[in-house]
Amino acid sequence: MKAHYVTEDICLEIKQGESLLQACKRTKIPLSHSCEGMASCGTCRVIVTKGVESLPERNSLEQEMADDRGFAPEERLACQMEPTEDFSFKLPYE
């Protein structure tokens, strides 16, 4: 599947079972991840701009963070999200 990073107009391939964070690291997209993908910091939060309805539901770690911080449905943790369909995203500060 493909993820389109809209800010830089970069399309990255995400391998099956790979998180968005892993794909971003592999393709050198500068996505913060202070807890190294453990879902405890929230610095890898992204905003899904297209295709949010086709993404897998949040796992328990991501849901806990979303509940604690009041995330909107389009706000996702890249370290926990393993997409199964194409989508587009941007970083929250862009």
Side-chain angles (χ1 to χ4, degrees):
M1 58 240 77
K2 296 187 186 321
H4 180 227
Y5 175 41
V6 296
T7 305
E8 299 288 329
D9 195 25
I10 297 171
C11 193
L12 55 146
E13 188 75 30
I14 301 178
K15 301 171 185 173
Q16 185 173 1
E18 182 178 48
S19 72
L20 175 58
L21 176 61
Q22 291 168 322
C24 286
K25 287 170 60 175
R26 184 172 40 78
T27 56
K28 309 290 189 246
I29 291 175
L31 183 56
S32 296
H33 54 283
S34 10
C35 72
E36 297 299 321
M38 302 302 292
S40 62
C41 69
T43 59
C44 70
R45 182 173 58 99
V46 298
I47 307 297
V48 178
T49 59
K50 183 178 178 186
V52 71
E53 65 284 342
S54 63
L55 293 174
E57 290 187 21
R58 293 177 170 127
N59 66 22
S60 60
L61 292 172
E62 185 181 9
Q63 188 62 55
E64 184 176 335
M65 174 78 65
D67 291 343
D68 287 346
R69 299 199 180 173
F71 285 2
E74 64 275 5
E75 294 177 273
R76 300 293 302 262
L77 291 181
C79 69
Q80 299 301 302
M81 184 174 60
E82 293 182 4
T84 55
E85 301 288 335
D86 295 350
F87 69 101
S88 298
F89 74 99
K90 66 179 184 173
L91 304 184
Y93 45 81
E94 299 175 326

